[in-house]
Every structure is written in structure tokens, then in C-alpha cells.
Amino acid sequence: MKRVFRSAFPLTIPVLLGYISVGIAFGLLVVKSDLDLWVALLMSVLVYAGAMQFLAIQLLVNPVSILQVAIITLFVNIRHLFYGLSFIDLFKTFGIKKHYMIFALTDETYSLLCAIALKEDVDQENLFFAVSFLNQLYWITGTLIGYLIGSWLVFDTTGIEFAMTALFVVIFIEQWLGYKDHRPSLIGLGSSLIAVMVFGPKNMILPAMVMILIGLMGSKSLIESKEVHL
Amino acid sequence: MTFILILVMALVTYLIRISPFILFGKHQKTPLWVTYLGKYLPPAVMSMLIIYSLKDINPMDYIHSLPVLIAILTTGVLHLWKRNNLLSIISGTVVYMMLIQKVFI
């Protein structure tokens, strides 16, 4: 297992940077909102969803009903519904670790696992688990650091959250180079841009996902034929 | 109350993450359209996440959109050139931080 973690670590470095920095930002925001350390840690351990946790700070400071919290969570995290689809067959072979793998399927862990899944000659069960576990460890560590250093930061970290966008850009490029057909990437870009413009930044996720699903299902035969013939 | 609300968020998030496995995991073989989506959703979702992470930036508001554009180009060009994830991410982030802290104020 130790060897697995050693080979998993280099793979997780991009997420390490992203999660530690965004985790710190989250921890700082929790302090500023006068919430306790256990609130921050409980969220990072049990909820483990970046964008949702930032939103949760607002929901906890100005409490709303349980039903509202449930619906907002559903809308913000509904994109995670997609992620398991890629691993249904693979995770079936994972035994008890399967449950943690499913729980820990965040945006970044999902992207990383997609990239690792392209490599064939690896012990996927243990490597996948190690990657997921390390990623959550970074997230919790970042949360803790952010809470502890609170306001006495020595350097200006404004803009460090761009690490997350940069990670998405890098993975986007890797996927662009890895897939023969670029239509899925373009469908994603187009759908999201239209969703932002038509429905506004706050409500873009659901319409974007619906358009992506329609776009992908609509061009299913085109995309599949290209993959076979080239 | 805080504790209960966090539990609700955790439960809903976990239910979302596990639902594909509950819906399709029992079949001997996953339906073909699910396999298709599983293969081609990742690039589409990754595109969506880029836009999602930039959703609050107005392209016409140059003070905020230009640093993002420059930082994304830095990340992208560097990555196409070196194919080194860490180098691309750190460079893009440092460029972005310098731009919004020192240049576009």
C-alpha cells in the first residue's frame, strides 16, 4: 500500500495545489463568517464538494429551511451525476473501497481518475483509492490551514483560486489531444456559454447539462462512427 | 441546526454521486447509451467546468476578464508546449495573481 501511495502522489500534485489553496480560502472564509472550526472540518470530511461548501457558508450564516438546503445542494452538485457513469463497470470490481470511491468523486478527483484510467498497466483499485484518499486529505488539510492562519497572512493570496481554472484548462487540453472527435468538447463549451448568456451565471449549471445531454445524444451516431473509422 | 444542515448537504451530495451506480449497477452489462455517455461526457463536462469557474466574470469588464484571458493563454500555451501539468498550473496561477494584484488594479 505504501508503494501505491508513493506512485499515486506525483499524479495528485496538481490537485494538491488546487485543493490546498482553495481549501485555505474556504477555511479563511469560515473564520470571517464567525463559524467554528468543527463546522469547516465536518463539511470537508462529510460533504466534500468545493463550490457547495462555499455556498454552504452563506446558508449556515443566514439559515434557510432543510428542504431549501437539500434543493440547492441538488442543483449545485447535480453535475456529479455524470461522473459515476464513467466508472460503473470499473468500480464493480473494487469491493469495499467502492463506497469511498463513490463518495469521494469530486470534480478534480474525477478528472484525475479519467486521466489515470487511460493508462492500462496499473493496479487500478489501489491506485484509484490512494489518489482519492490523498485528494481529500489535501482538501481537509487546506481547510485546517486556512482556519488556523485566519487573518494573519503574510502575503497576498488574492487570485490563488485560479489554480482550479488552470487545472480544468490543462485537463481540457489533455482530453482534446486524447479524443479523435472534438465534438464533445465543443458541445460542452457551446452549451455552457449559451447557458451563461441565457440563464445567467447563477443558474447556468442545469440548463448547460441538459443541453450537453441533448447535444451528445443527438450526435451519438456521428461521434461513434468517427471513432470507429479513424 | 448547523449540524443537521451539514448532514443534509452531505446526504444529498452522496446520493447524487451514488445514483448512477444504483440505477445502472445492477445490470449485468451497462446499457450502451450509458457507456457512450460515460466515454464522451468527460470532455463535455470539463469544458463546462472551465466556463463554470469563470461564470462570474463579465467579458466586457476588461479589468477582470483580461487577466483571466492572459492567464488561461499562459496555461494553455505552456501546456501545449511542455505537457507538464504542474508547470502549466503554477505558471498560469502566478501570472494571474501578479496581474490582478499589481497590473489590473
Side-chain angles (χ1 to χ4, degrees):
Chain A
M1 206 61 196
K2 210 172 167 185
R3 234 185 41 233
V4 177
F5 273 95
R6 206 170 294 156
S7 53
F9 176 69
L11 300 170
T12 62
I13 290 175
V15 179
L16 168 76
L17 297 174
Y19 272 11
I20 293 279
S21 51
V22 180
I24 288 176
F26 173 69
L28 287 172
L29 210 60
V30 170
V31 178
K32 271 193 210 154
S33 311
D34 285 327
L35 293 167
D36 295 329
L37 177 60
W38 70 265
V39 174
L41 288 180
L42 194 68
M43 278 202 272
S44 289
V45 171
L46 288 186
V47 183
Y48 189 29
M52 186 58 216
Q53 287 183 219
F54 279 91
L55 195 60
I57 296 175
Q58 293 172 319
L59 300 179
L60 293 177
V61 172
N62 309 301
V64 289
S65 73
I66 290 179
L67 185 68
Q68 266 176 293
V69 168
I71 292 172
I72 293 170
T73 310
L74 183 69
F75 274 64
V76 173
N77 285 338
I78 192 80
R79 66 184 186 282
H80 291 182
L81 197 60
F82 286 168
Y83 298 170
L85 291 179
S86 310
F87 296 118
I88 288 175
D89 289 325
L90 186 63
F91 284 5
K92 273 180 192 165
T93 63
F94 276 19
I96 191 102
K97 292 195 185 78
K98 177 184 171 182
H99 301 288
Y100 179 76
M101 295 304 302
I102 294 171
F103 157 77
L105 216 47
T106 61
D107 297 328
E108 291 73 17
T109 300
Y110 168 74
S111 336
L112 216 50
L113 294 182
C114 285
I116 299 169
L118 296 173
K119 301 173 187 168
E120 308 242 321
D121 53 337
V122 288
D123 168 13
Q124 286 189 322
E125 179 172 346
N126 286 322
L127 187 66
F128 270 44
F129 178 77
V131 164
S132 298
F133 185 78
L134 284 174
N135 286 354
Q136 189 173 17
L137 207 63
Y138 304 150
W139 183 242
I140 295 169
T141 308
T143 306
L144 190 63
I145 295 173
Y147 194 93
L148 293 181
I149 54 183
S151 52
W152 42 270
L153 258 186
V154 282
F155 72 102
D156 187 355
T157 54
T158 312
I160 203 162
E161 70 281 355
F162 184 81
M164 201 111 290
T165 306
L167 174 65
F168 294 148
V169 170
V170 163
I171 294 159
F172 172 83
I173 292 174
E174 285 297 325
Q175 284 174 333
W176 183 274
L177 299 173
Y179 279 76
K180 290 189 187 100
D181 196 328
H182 301 316
R183 256 169 292 210
S185 300
L186 296 175
I187 288 171
L189 276 181
S191 305
S192 316
L193 286 173
I194 293 171
V196 173
M197 286 186 285
V198 175
F199 298 94
K202 278 204 179 70
N203 309 309
M204 67 154 289
I205 285 194
L206 208 62
M209 285 190 351
V210 171
M211 282 188 275
I212 286 173
L213 280 177
I214 293 171
L216 279 181
M217 291 318 282
S219 48
K220 185 167 179 283
S221 50
L222 271 172
I223 291 173
E224 279 179 331
S225 68
K226 185 159 185 182
E227 201 71 24
V228 172
H229 293 305
L230 277 176
Chain B
M1 194 58 191
T2 299
F3 183 71
I4 294 170
L5 290 180
I6 293 175
L7 285 188
V8 169
M9 292 180 226
L11 189 69
V12 173
T13 306
Y14 182 66
L15 285 177
I16 295 170
R17 286 175 184 161
I18 202 174
S19 49
F21 296 89
I22 294 173
L23 292 174
F24 304 112
K26 291 276 183 280
H27 294 286
Q28 278 307 93
K29 192 82 186 78
T30 313
L32 277 178
W33 66 271
V34 176
T35 317
Y36 167 78
L37 283 183
K39 181 167 182 193
Y40 291 104
L41 270 176
V45 169
M46 204 49 58
S47 314
M48 185 188 84
L49 286 178
I50 294 177
I51 306 293
Y52 176 72
S53 74
L54 304 173
K55 66 185 187 319
D56 294 314
I57 292 160
N58 177 359
M60 298 303 153
D61 176 9
Y62 296 115
I63 299 239
H64 294 108
S65 61
L66 265 184
V68 169
L69 189 67
I70 296 169
I72 287 181
L73 285 176
T74 308
T75 311
V77 170
L78 207 57
H79 194 69
L80 285 171
W81 182 30
K82 294 285 187 189
R83 293 292 286 278
N84 179 331
N85 292 8
L86 194 56
L87 180 74
S88 315
I89 291 167
I90 292 182
S91 310
T93 307
V94 169
V95 165
Y96 182 71
M97 289 173 73
M98 288 194 327
L99 286 176
I100 63 166
Q101 288 179 22
K102 310 281 182 212
V103 185
F104 294 89
I105 304 174

